[in-house]
Amino acid sequence: MYAIAIREPGSPDVLEWTEQTDPRPGPGEVLLDVAAAGVNRADLAQREGNYPPPKGASEVLGLECSGTIAELGEGVSGWQPGDRVCALLAGGGYAERVAVPAEQLLPIPDGVDLVDAAGLPEVCCTVWSNVVLEGGLSEGQLLLVHGGSGGIGTAAIQIGRALGARVAATAGAPESLRFCRSLGADPVISYREEDFVEVVKGLGGADVVLDNMGASYLDRNLAALATDGHLAVIGMQGGRKAEIDLGRMLVKRLRVSALGLRGRPIEGPNGKARIVSDVRERLWPLVSQGHVRPLVHERIPLPEASRAHATLEAGGVHGKILLTRP
Ligand SMILES: NC(=O)c1ccc[n+]([C@@H]2O[C@H](COP(=O)([O-])OP(=O)(O)OC[C@H]3O[C@@H](n4cnc5c(N)ncnc54)[C@H](OP(=O)(O)O)[C@@H]3O)[C@@H](O)[C@H]2O)c1
């Protein structure tokens, strides 16, 4: 099969479409014929050599994909060859074929195009696990989403709104702010020109903050939280080390989590299987009803993955970039 290889750690042009060994489905896995793969910011870090795959995972980039089941590994039930699915991956999506544990498969939601579905698993599982399972967001609460126009951000705004929460979102460019507003975020806050803490405090404080920035926003995120609020850190675009004011946390009874999805085990209380099955049971109906839609910035053929990475790196992407099977 053909897949994207990283020639050496570096800039987007180190990505090459090369012939590689076909993956085989192990016990409990299925082999997928990939239709499309989602591009995630983590892929950029892996390409640069800063985010190695977890032990046992494919070296090929790609944390999510859609496609058709080609073969079942030993002991898999509930799925058939020919089923159209999308999948959460620990790696391997930038390829013609990928082997994936059956627990990480999701059906294509009603009304969603097979290619577009490639952009759903990673963002939906990340947002659902952080904002709902950990953060406990509920109807009438205020969710603050940083980076609201990106892949994660667009999913988070829609999910928050679909659950009946008010959603505030930050973004950079005016067109990105308008895009967040079109998804139901109100207010939208320019991270270049405005102080999100003042805006959010003016609304009584956020019950949940979904944060992609990490260190550079830690103190301000805690300041923006309401009493009993939850800060869910999922990214470190603004650095990994910062001081924390425990006094502020104690007085306001705040919780901070910093959770990665990729390295989780499949089974167990914090495993991927539980997240995927909760997403299927509770979020997939909202997707099928059109309340949460895959938002695609651009489809780019898989062999041109370097162009996809350069586009994401340049910023200003609205929703997801998808790599399609040539
Ligand atoms: N923990 C996990 O399991 C997990 C899983 C998936 C993703 N993530 C993390 O989630 C984050 C988003 O991932 P993605 O794939 O959705 O990437 P993405 O589409 O590239 O989105 C990144 C976003 O960051 C925004 N941004 C840049 N500077 C900012 C600032 N100073 N304040 C607020 N936002 C700013 C960008 O907004 P503009 O374009 O407007 O500048 C963009 O919307 C990444 O940090 C990624 O590593 C974590």
Side-chain angles (χ1 to χ4, degrees):
M1 68 152 186
Y2 273 78
I4 290 290
I6 303 171
R7 194 172 60 243
E8 58 189 357
S11 56
D13 59 10
V14 301
L15 300 182
E16 291 177 338
W17 185 239
T18 59
E19 194 157 11
Q20 299 188 29
T21 315
D22 259 277
R24 296 293 310 146
E29 293 185 338
V30 308
L31 184 68
L32 291 187
D33 256 328
V34 173
V39 178
N40 288 279
R41 187 149 282 267
D43 304 343
L44 311 182
Q46 182 171 342
R47 188 202 70 222
E48 288 167 339
N50 297 324
Y51 190 45
K55 204 163 165 261
S58 167
E59 291 287 324
V60 174
L61 291 164
L63 301 177
E64 58 187 348
C65 73
S66 61
T68 307
I69 296 182
E71 199 180 324
L72 302 182
E74 197 190 313
V76 173
S77 57
W79 300 99
Q80 295 300 329
D83 284 351
R84 289 148 48 95
V85 295
C86 53
L88 180 69
L89 306 171
Y94 289 22
E96 291 181 315
R97 276 181 280 288
V98 63
V100 52
E103 294 89 340
Q104 291 169 214
L105 296 176
L106 286 155
I108 305 296
D110 294 341
V112 174
D113 175 81
L114 179 66
V115 166
D116 290 351
L120 288 173
E122 174 74 9
V123 295
C124 285
C125 290
T126 300
V127 172
W128 194 258
S129 57
N130 280 281
V131 170
V132 178
L133 298 179
E134 296 292 334
L137 184 74
S138 59
E139 193 176 347
Q141 290 193 324
L142 177 62
L143 167 67
L144 170 62
V145 175
H146 287 301
S149 57
I152 289 281
T154 49
I157 294 172
Q158 295 184 84
I159 291 170
R161 296 293 296 127
L163 293 173
R166 182 170 189 182
V167 181
T170 64
E175 58 272 22
S176 301
L177 291 163
R178 278 195 292 276
F179 188 63
C180 293
R181 192 179 287 282
S182 76
L183 298 175
D186 181 22
V188 294
I189 308 160
S190 164
Y191 67 69
R192 294 179 188 155
E193 291 171 8
E194 290 175 89
D195 178 3
F196 71 80
V197 178
E198 285 313 309
V199 177
V200 171
K201 274 170 97 173
L203 300 170
D207 299 290
V208 180
V209 175
L210 184 66
D211 174 65
N212 57 326
M213 297 306 293
S216 65
Y217 275 13
L218 181 63
D219 196 51
R220 280 178 284 166
N221 278 333
L222 295 179
L225 280 174
T227 301
D228 294 317
H230 186 117
L231 166 61
V233 180
I234 59 163
M236 298 179 291
Q237 291 168 229
R240 56 190 291 172
K241 288 190 181 172
E243 249 182 35
I244 197 159
D245 182 346
L246 293 170
R248 177 185 268 153
M249 288 189 66
L250 277 166
V251 169
K252 284 166 68 178
R253 297 187 299 277
L254 305 181
R255 286 161 214 253
V256 179
S257 57
L259 301 172
L261 179 60
R262 189 186 196 184
R264 287 176 185 247
I266 297 170
E267 301 297 345
N270 293 315
K272 291 176 186 172
R274 177 178 161 246
I275 294 171
V276 170
S277 95
D278 212 57
V279 161
R280 181 174 181 172
E281 190 183 322
R282 296 204 282 158
L283 177 53
W284 250 217
L286 299 175
V287 181
S288 291
Q289 290 157 20
H291 299 300
V292 177
R293 293 171 296 129
L295 293 167
V296 179
H297 180 84
E298 191 176 355
R299 291 180 176 191
I300 295 177
L302 255 167
E304 296 171 45
S306 54
R307 180 158 69 83
H309 276 213
T311 304
L312 191 64
E313 245 162 38
V317 168
H318 292 172
K320 298 284 299 191
I321 296 174
L322 301 181
L323 293 168
T324 54
R325 173 91 170 263

